[in-house]
Amino acid sequence: MTFLPDTATLAAFTVAALVLAITPGPDMTLFMSKTLTHGRAAGFAAVLGAAVGLVIHTVLAALGVSALLSASAFAFLLLKIVGAGYLIWLAYQTIRYGSKVSIKTVATRQQSLGRVWLEALGVNILNPKIVLFFVTFLPQFVRVDDPDAVGKLMFLGFYFVFLGVPICVLMVFGANAFARFLKTSPRVMRLFDWAFAGIMGAFALKLLVARANS
């Protein structure tokens, strides 16, 4: 059994993961807000909580896919096709409405680091969009007939966290400058949107075209 994807798949996933890491979303809103209102330690606690949430999503997604593969290869293929449609919808929504980030800088009552960690963990675990994204995004990088699909899904999920956490940590260190950048650079933000939409759409269309030609 091997859990490592081939070089081309890993390279494509790396590009996608890096773009996702710098695209504003609920996680970024939370840890940037905590950093600006409660300090860097709170920002790091929020990043750690969000990362643990992603690890949990990875394990659950891999186990769910494992059960689906055991039940029916066709059902797994159906998940990939439905997932491709969802990724195209995400790309469309991103281009139409743009990334949503609203960083709160109003001072509030000081929170313990444990409470910040739990809040970030809860935001990730209880967010249905993150659940749906993980279940539909990760399977796009494994074949239906791959006997090592579950191990590769697990690896890709952990690799996603491994790539994203250092970027989030850098954002916490430069929170003030990064917050100003987000507010004053709408054109760059739109570049993030187009990059995200392009990658999601490309993976989805690649799968759908492959199925149409098979």
Side-chain angles (χ1 to χ4, degrees), residues 28-210:
M28 185 183 294
T29 296
L30 180 64
F31 69 71
M32 291 292 289
S33 296
K34 294 301 181 184
T35 301
L36 295 174
T37 56
H38 298 295
R40 285 180 179 170
F44 294 139
V47 170
L48 181 59
V52 172
L54 292 179
V55 168
I56 293 173
H57 281 306
T58 295
V59 173
L60 294 178
L63 292 177
V65 168
S66 175
L68 194 62
L69 274 172
S70 299
S72 168
F74 175 76
F76 180 53
L77 174 61
L78 186 61
L79 171 66
K80 287 169 66 73
I81 294 175
V82 171
Y86 176 68
L87 295 180
I88 291 175
W89 180 81
L90 277 181
Y92 167 75
Q93 291 289 102
T94 301
I95 293 301
R96 182 174 181 181
Y97 299 109
S99 300
K100 298 294 188 296
V101 58
S102 178
I103 299 174
K104 300 176 182 178
T105 56
V106 178
T108 58
R109 187 176 65 179
Q110 192 68 26
Q111 294 178 305
S112 69
L113 297 184
R115 182 174 185 129
V116 172
W117 182 86
L118 282 174
E119 183 179 345
L121 178 64
V123 165
N124 247 347
I125 290 180
L126 300 177
N127 189 333
K129 289 185 177 180
I130 295 179
V131 176
L132 187 57
F133 178 77
F134 254 68
V135 171
T136 57
F137 178 67
L138 290 181
Q140 306 305 323
F141 294 89
V142 296
R143 301 191 318 272
V144 175
D145 58 350
D146 190 341
D148 301 320
V150 176
K152 289 177 180 177
L153 285 171
M154 198 81 75
F155 170 81
L156 289 173
F158 291 148
Y159 182 57
F160 181 87
V161 176
F162 173 79
L163 289 175
V165 167
I167 294 175
C168 295
V169 168
L170 289 176
M171 290 180 182
V172 169
F173 274 118
N176 286 298
F178 193 72
R180 288 194 299 271
F181 171 77
L182 290 177
K183 292 179 180 179
T184 60
S185 305
R187 290 185 178 179
V188 177
M189 292 289 290
R190 287 304 287 168
L191 286 177
F192 288 154
D193 292 339
W194 278 99
F196 172 85
I199 286 176
M200 295 302 99
F203 286 130
L205 289 175
K206 179 181 178 181
L207 173 68
L208 296 177
V209 170

